[in-house]
Amino acid sequence: MTTVTSGLTTQQENRPSAAAKPVRWAADAVATMREGARLRLDYSAQSLWRVDRVIDGIRREGAPYAAVETALRGLGAYAGEVIVRRSGGEWWATGGDHWVRTPDGRLWDPIDEARRCFAGDGSLRLLCRDAAGDG
């Protein structure tokens, strides 16, 4: 269990700067899902089933991409945080893009995977399974 110090957990304080934005995006997505959809996201691999269903529902409603781009970024960052926590990976950033690097050296793009989910061709749950070696 991490301790809270001045609003940040010890885990977050020791994270590389590449993690700052995606960690914030993920936290915003958790808050939005809790307040708007009454959906609790707990950073577990199982919660990604719910995230995949939420994205699928948004897609089926016919929402334009521009209207949901920020939400997809947040849900992708949330999935990335799940991968980081499960695998011991870390966030990497370059040129404004953010990836997760797992300890085996592979790079994963959960934010783009959220976009693929919205297009009907992706799964954050399966990405996490593959990245964290759960499958």
Side-chain angles (χ1 to χ4, degrees):
M1 180 169 206
T2 54
T3 57
V4 175
T5 316
S6 68
L8 293 177
T9 64
T10 304
Q11 178 183 5
Q12 289 172 329
E13 290 172 352
N14 296 327
R15 307 277 297 272
S17 63
K21 285 183 180 180
V23 167
R24 186 178 70 242
W25 297 333
D28 289 347
V30 168
T32 299
M33 289 293 104
R34 183 182 61 241
E35 294 164 12
R38 298 195 186 271
L39 181 66
R40 181 161 155 51
L41 299 178
D42 61 3
Y43 293 95
S44 68
Q46 295 79 15
S47 70
L48 294 176
W49 283 89
R50 293 186 293 270
V51 173
D52 278 346
R53 285 196 308 267
V54 164
I55 294 172
D56 186 54
I58 294 168
R59 178 177 49 80
R60 282 190 273 127
E61 289 174 3
Y65 176 76
V68 297
E69 183 177 8
T70 300
L72 292 172
R73 181 187 68 191
L75 293 171
Y78 171 79
E81 261 309 283
V82 172
I83 294 167
V84 165
R85 294 175 184 201
R86 292 184 61 78
S87 72
E90 61 185 345
W91 283 100
W92 281 51
T94 183
D97 293 325
H98 293 81
W99 300 279
V100 171
R101 182 174 184 264
T102 49
D104 60 11
R106 293 185 293 171
L107 289 173
W108 305 87
D109 191 344
I111 295 171
D112 191 54
E113 188 69 14
R115 294 180 193 120
R116 284 194 296 277
C117 289
F118 181 70
D121 187 34
S123 169
L124 294 170
R125 176 186 61 85
L126 294 177
L127 179 77
C128 179
R129 183 196 68 189
D130 293 346
D134 295 339

